[in-house]
Amino acid sequence: MAVFTHLLRVRYSDCDAQKVVFNGKYAEFIDVAATEFTRHIWGNYNDVLAMGVDSQVVNLNISWKASSSFDDVLAISVKPGHIGNTSYTLEFVISNFSTQELVATAEVVYVMVSATEFTKMPIPENLRHRLEQGAPGVVVDHAGAT
């Protein structure tokens, strides 16, 4: 399946004393890519909230394979994984855009909740359908790399 890809440039402030991206920053990178993915498939976040729904992260797993450094461009690919009744999973592959070296993989589980009471609720059918379709071939280039 072709995937959605978010291109992100590593900033100096993302790096630690070892001059590589600090491990905690990858969660931020993943969150940005997930936001851009859902913006593409569901529209503006505020419009989703206006529908009375929101998503909350309940599990985040990251496996690192290599390091990234200042000014690297990371290609963060996003595709839907398991879609349940009230939860869904997004799968991420983070690679160096220039070298194609695998940097990390991640999986995030989200639970759909009421936007006002934050109680678990079924994924609305229109959102489920768009999630199942994903966003194959879409590239959002915040790095200015293409």
Side-chain angles (χ1 to χ4, degrees), residues 6 8 10 14 17 21 23 29 37 40 48 50 53-54 61 68 71-73 78 81 83-84 86 115 127 133 141-142:
H6 180 255
L8 176 143
V10 174
D14 296 327
V21 174
N23 61 33
F29 296 167
F37 173 77
H40 186 77
V48 174
V53 298
D54 198 358
N61 292 302
S68 297
D71 217 28
D72 284 351
V73 173
V78 184
I83 302 171
T86 60
L127 298 183
Q133 299 302 307
D141 184 1
H142 284 167

Side-chain angles (χ1 to χ4, degrees), residues 10 21 24 36 39 45 53-54 59-60 62 73 77 81 89 92-94 97 102 120 129 134-135 137:
V10 174
V21 174
E36 293 304 320
R39 183 190 324 275
Y45 179 70
V53 298
D54 198 358
N59 193 2
L60 165 63
I62 304 172
V73 173
S77 299
T89 301
F92 301 82
V93 175
I94 303 172
F97 181 69
L102 177 62
K120 191 165 46 167
H129 176 70

